[in-house]
Every structure is written in structure tokens, then in C-alpha cells.
Amino acid sequence: MPSSSEDLQSHLRKDYEHGFTTDVESDTLPPGLDEDVIRHISHMKHEPDFLLEWRLEAYRHWLTQREPNWAKLNIDPIDYQAISYYSAPKTSKDGPKSLDEVDPKLLETYEKLGIPLEERAALAGVAVDAVFDSVSVATTFKDKLSKEGIIFCPFSEAVQNHPELVQRYLGSVVPTTDNYFASLNSAVFTDGSFVYIPKGVRCPMELSTYFRINAANTGQFERTLIIAEAGSYVSYLEGCTAPQRDENQLHAAVVELVALEDAEIKYSTVQNWYPGDENGVGGIYNFVTKRGDCRGDNSKISWTQVETGSAITWKYPSCLLRGDNSVGEFHSIAVTNHHQQADTGTKMVHLGKNTRSTIVSKGISAGQAQNAYRGLVHMGKNASSARNHTRCDSLLMGDRCGAHTFPYMEVKNPSARVEHEATTSRIGEDQLFYCRQRGISEEDAVSMIVNGFCKEVFRELPMEFAVEAQNLLALSLEGSIG
Amino acid sequence: MLEISNLHVSIGDQTILKGIDLTVKPGEVHAIMGPNGSGKSTLSHVLAGREGYEVIEGSVRYEGKDLLGLSPEARAHAGIFLGFQYPVEIPGVNNMYFLKAAINARRKANGLKELDAFDFIQMAKKKAGLVGLDESLLQRAVNEGFSGGEKKRNEIFQMAVLEPQLAILDETDSGLDIDALRIVAEGVNALRDPERAVILVTHYQRLLDYIVPDYVHVLSDGRIVRSGGRELALTLEEKGYGWLKEAAAT
């Protein structure tokens, strides 16, 4: 029944709501990348020598590598020399000390995104370290956190104030040689977030960072490092939106998590970068390396992600389950519409005894999008009695999109157990008609069906984030009728 | 309430309905019977606004207005309910949440205040009792993992909650054992009302033992070939649909 299929497609065509740019003057390096550029970045950020050396080493290694080509993605060639590797918004020289000092245009941008910093922070009890382009401009709730001995600050600040922690942990989970994009990030990253939770401390609030890419032609290279000392707990939220533009933008972030004995890190992401227009023009390239290291016994790391944006997503938040009895979790919703492509999943590397991991992946494809789950479960030879359970569900909307599942398993210990379940279903006209016959509009019906499909993952998100994530999902899949 | 005149409907290049005339008044129960492929389900779907059917001739008026131009949801808001032959599963969507969205969409469209959660739950529980639906099903996902009988009962429950003016029950009896059939029929009977009309679409006479219709129409090859009272169904039961073809030929 072609007419209703077309109808469905028309609902999926909705303009990107966050497509606007803020007119802020940027202090931007000319495009191009060589050792001088890296020295310049390091110099502008007053970095210690060890970091410059680390960057240069990463850069030299990067030159010897090639872009990965094993993912089920069609990527136009990227000209790395056409990218500018540093951009900072021009504000007062020393940076703002409070919201009053923040460029009002910036605040306006946050308003449009529905994240009024002060309100959000106060009402929801969330500390926001807002990253605008590459330099952090506002950090809140710092005092309260510092009373607990918690460090939550822009990465560049951590480099100045806690160089010993940075030197000790940076690259200890994702080494400079890890992969093409991680090497590039290590060479040129400009900022990001740094979190340190001291021994035995339970972080009293959700830590939240909003990333936003804003200057044209600026690759964004975020670096995040979270360290949870023995017996500590932290929940970290990351959310992203970006303005509309035509050029492809490269985003190659690296996130490293370290959980020591009995520590727990919960990392949640809502990603809504510009996916490109209906014809597949523009949109962000999101090539991210995220890895958590359960270094101590009984530690736990869980990744929860809601991915609705980006033209191309290449992302596998992973867990190294090194400590005995450590636990890794991955809960993911990946939505692709129009010409979006996603190749995403996880790696659970079981090294310690009795380690456990859970993978729940929900892929939704609409339009002509391609959505692939790629997951590795590795049971090392010492991972006795380790267990994994994987569940992969795909939902197709319309008949021009695709869903693919690539599970990899490596089991080197006979007592380890690995389970994999996968389903693929289609949002049926049957379901839509059923809802509409009961009086529910097509738009609400799509949203209801999709949210039902994703329910297990939404449950893993912190409350205040879950609502926002559901809205985002609805936004990326629905169009207003008429 | 409902006036169907000279309705011709096709799917692709195949004409399914070839001139249906039917008038339904408030309070009446009409049974539409017929062999497989006679167009019964097509008629139900066209009345509810399912896409993929083309009306090539004729008209349907509902409460004096043209029905065919309305979207399925607008028809639902106007009080038309279709009980599905194969109720659809919607995984992860709570039955109560679904129904609350449905009833409030309708109330909103009709300028009424939306029901709050408390009032809704009270009302839904009462209706569940009325149609013998196990309350534990209320908190499950819509039709997910329901038995055939539970799905059909859930349809009648939804009808009880939504209180339609015109209920079209498409093969509600199919796949039900005799006990389930009785319970579903009791539910429908409990909802009989001078203001409410019901169209029962069925292949078998046995449903009509429990829900006694005012009129019986026999559909064959896209036309109503005979209309009558309750006794027509009994004759059909006795002589089979073949009898009609013979009768039509002579």
C-alpha cells in the first residue's frame, strides 16, 4: 500500500529544530595540521612539556596509520588539511567567572536548546560544564563538589591544576596508538571534561556536560577523562546538539573511564548532532572512541546512549573487565533517518574472573538510513565463569532503510558463557492504523511505538535525562502533520 | 446514523465491493455475514478509514456528514470504533497508557477536559470488570503475549472504555472457544444502548446465539444479496452459503 508508506515517510521528514548558528566571533587557527599546529595549540593552552610530547608522539603515530574501513559505512574522503584545529569564542581575557560574564548570545543559544543553565542547574541539581566549541565557558556547582573533594572541570583546567592526575591516567585506557581517530584526537584535542571522584565518595549530583559544535569548519576533538577511586560512585551525563550547516564536520572525541576497586561509573549520552538534510547533505561525522576500564575488583561501568544525530556514527563504547567480579553494561538506542549511517555497538573484554556484561542494543532505521550493530564479546583465558548476555533489536520504518547485526565472539575460557539474542521488526501500518483507529494521531502513534520499543534503555537513563531523550527521539522521527 | 449508498471499493485493480447499500440507526445491531472473500473485512476497514482502498463510486454518510473524507483518527473522535479481527501487538506500550492516550485524544478533539490518571484508572477498572478482563492485563503491553481470547476481550474492553456511537466488530468471534465467546458476547450485550449502533461482521451464526441482531445481511461477491431478521442467519446455518448462490441464480 504505497500511499500509506509515503505518508509514513512524510512524517519522518522534519527539519532539524536546532539548526541555527550563534554569531560569536571565533579566534580560529587557519586550516591545516602539522607539528607546528600542535605546538601552537599546546602553547596557547599553556600546557606542560609532557603533554606536548604526548601529543607529538600521537601525531607521529597517526601519520603512520590509515582510516579504518571495516565498518559498514560510506564515508566521503576527509581532507584533514582543510580542517581548522583550534577555535575559541572571544570572551573576556580571563574567561567568565559567572553567568553574568558569559556572552549573552551564548546564553541565548542555550535557551533555544531548552537548557537554561542556571535554571537547569538549580532545579535539577545538575552541575553543568558547558562546552561551547572548544573552550569551556561556564561551570557551575563547583564549590559544592569541591567540598566533597570531587574535581569536575574543563580538561584544560585539570591540566593546569592537577597535572599529576592527568599524566597518570591520560591515555591509560585509550592509548595514543589505539586507532586512527584516537591518535588524531590525542594530537589535537583542545578541551573536554575532567572528573575525579575521591575514595569512598558518592557524587551527590549527576554531572552533566553539554557539547555544542558551533564554528564553521572546526573539527571538534573533545577529551574526557573520568577517574573513580576505590568505592566511589559517579553518574555522568553528556548531551549534544549542533547548529545546521552544509559542510561535513568531523568530530573525533575520546572518552576514558577508570573505575578502581568497588567503584561505579554510569555514563549516559544523548547525542543529537546535525544529521544532514533530507538529501544527505551536511551533517556531523561522529567518530568516537569511548572506553571504560574496570581496573579494580567488583567495579562497574555502564554506558547508556541515545544516538539520534550525526550523518555518520562510528562509535563503540567499551568495557575492559579487568578486575575480578567486575561488571560492564551497554544500553543503546541508535536512531537513523534520511541518509544517516550508524555503525555502533560495544566491546566487552572479559579478563577477570566471574566478570559479567550485559548488552542491550535498540536500532531504529527510517528513510534510507543504514543502522548496524557491531559488538565484540571477548572471554579471556583467565575469565573463568564470566558471563555475557546480548540482546539486539532492530526496528525498521518504511521499506528503504536497513538494519544489520555483526556480533563477534571470542571465547578462550571453557567456563565462560555467552548468549546472543536478536530480533528485527517493522513498524507496521497495522500498528499505526490500530492506534489511529483508537483516535491517536499518526505522529503520536509513531512516537508511542518507538518509545515502547526503546523502553528497556530509557529505564537506564537518569530521570531528568529520560524525558529529554524521549523528546529527542520523537523529534528525530516525526514530522508535524499538514 | 450511518448511510452507505452504492459503495464500490477496489484494491489495486480488483473491485471488492460492488454496490453496498446499508442504513444503520442508533440502537440497532446489524449482523453482516458472508463467505470468505465476500468483502466483509473490506467493508469494516473502509468504514474505519484504512488506507490502501479506493472508493470508486458511492458514498458513506455518518451522522449526516461525509465520512470518507475523514482520517481514521477523526472517525474515531466522531465515535466510530473498529474491533479488529487480528488485534495488533505494540511491545513496550502499556495497555492503560495506550487507552488513556486514546480516550484523551478523543476528548480533546471534542472539546472536553482530559481525564486525569486517577479518574481514568477508576473508570478503566470498572469497565474491565464489565467485560471480564483480568486486571493484570491492564498493566501489560498492548496485546503483547496475550492469548487469542485475551486479545479479543481486550478489544471489547477498549470499546467499553471508549464508548463509541458506532461499533464495528470484525470477526470478533473467530478463534474463540465457547466460553470466551460467551464472555465477549456478554460484554457486547452490556454495552447495547439506544444511542449506540453495532455492526457485527461474522462468518458463523453461532455468535448470533449470544448477541441477537435486529437485522442480518448476507454479503456475497461484494453485494448484499439478502437482508432479513434473525431467522435469516438460522436459515444460512442450516443451508450454507451455497443456498444463496442457488437462490440468486434462479
Side-chain angles (χ1 to χ4, degrees), chain B residues 47-119:
Chain B
L47 291 178
R50 177 148 207 168
E51 285 156 3
Y53 298 92
E54 196 189 346
V55 175
I56 33 187
E57 210 184 326
S59 67
V60 180
R61 300 187 74 76
Y62 173 72
E63 291 182 334
K65 289 177 205 137
D66 173 41
L67 182 70
L68 297 174
L70 297 178
S71 67
E73 53 268 41
R75 297 181 200 204
H77 299 158
I80 292 179
F81 176 91
L82 173 64
F84 283 65
Q85 181 176 5
Y86 304 108
V88 180
E89 299 191 3
I90 311 179
V93 176
N94 178 287
N95 216 359
M96 288 289 266
Y97 176 80
F98 174 78
L99 256 187
K100 184 163 171 274
I103 197 169
N104 280 335
R106 182 170 167 202
R107 290 180 70 93
K108 210 169 148 189
N110 291 313
L112 295 170
K113 208 172 136 257
E114 294 182 29
L115 287 183
D116 64 28
F118 183 77
D119 289 343

Side-chain angles (χ1 to χ4, degrees), chain A residues 215-367:
Chain A
N217 269 328
T218 306
Q220 183 97 0
F221 302 93
E222 302 283 348
R223 190 88 196 186
T224 297
L225 176 57
I226 298 178
I227 302 147
E229 288 277 9
S232 67
Y233 169 85
V234 63
S235 168
Y236 186 87
L237 319 180
E238 168 202 39
C240 322
T241 57
Q244 189 155 0
R245 59 185 62 255
D246 288 323
E247 316 89 289
N248 289 312
Q249 284 187 304
L250 177 63
H251 182 97
V254 173
V255 176
E256 297 180 278
L257 312 182
V258 180
L260 299 172
E261 206 174 271
D262 297 312
E264 179 177 350
I265 302 175
K266 200 172 157 54
Y267 193 104
S268 313
T269 305
V270 171
Q271 187 267 112
N272 181 31
W273 281 326
Y274 181 53
D277 69 13
E278 266 183 66
N279 302 313
V281 176
I284 305 291
Y285 287 5
N286 190 24
F287 302 151
V288 182
T289 305
K290 287 183 165 174
R291 194 171 304 152
D293 186 356
C294 285
R295 210 164 277 185
D297 292 350
N298 310 310
S299 57
K300 178 176 176 182
I301 289 179
S302 62
W303 299 99
T304 304
Q305 59 172 21
V306 178
E307 303 276 321
T308 65
S310 298
I312 303 176
T313 301
W314 179 94
K315 180 180 173 188
Y316 316 90
S318 306
C319 296
L320 293 175
L321 301 170
R322 247 193 258 268
D324 291 347
N325 310 311
S326 59
V327 176
E329 289 179 2
F330 174 74
H331 305 274
S332 168
I333 297 169
V335 180
T336 49
N337 196 356
H338 304 312
H339 291 266
Q340 278 178 280
Q341 308 175 63
D343 193 302
T344 183
T346 185
K347 284 191 276 185
M348 291 292 173
V349 180
H350 292 250
L351 300 174
K353 290 184 189 67
N354 201 28
T355 45
R356 280 163 293 150
S357 65
T358 306
I359 299 171
V360 179
S361 163
K362 303 276 182 180
I364 301 167
S365 312

Side-chain angles (χ1 to χ4, degrees), chain A residues 344-404:
Chain A
T344 183
T346 185
K347 284 191 276 185
M348 291 292 173
V349 180
H350 292 250
L351 300 174
K353 290 184 189 67
N354 201 28
T355 45
R356 280 163 293 150
S357 65
T358 306
I359 299 171
V360 179
S361 163
K362 303 276 182 180
I364 301 167
S365 312
Q368 292 150 67
Q370 296 295 325
N371 201 324
Y373 166 81
R374 188 182 303 277
L376 167 71
V377 177
H378 174 92
M379 299 294 186
K381 62 180 191 301
N382 297 322
S384 51
S385 303
R387 276 171 296 163
N388 161 267
H389 183 85
T390 300
R391 188 185 164 86
C392 261
D393 296 323
S394 306
L395 185 68
L396 302 171
M397 304 172 76
D399 49 16
R400 289 178 297 164
C401 52
H404 316 274

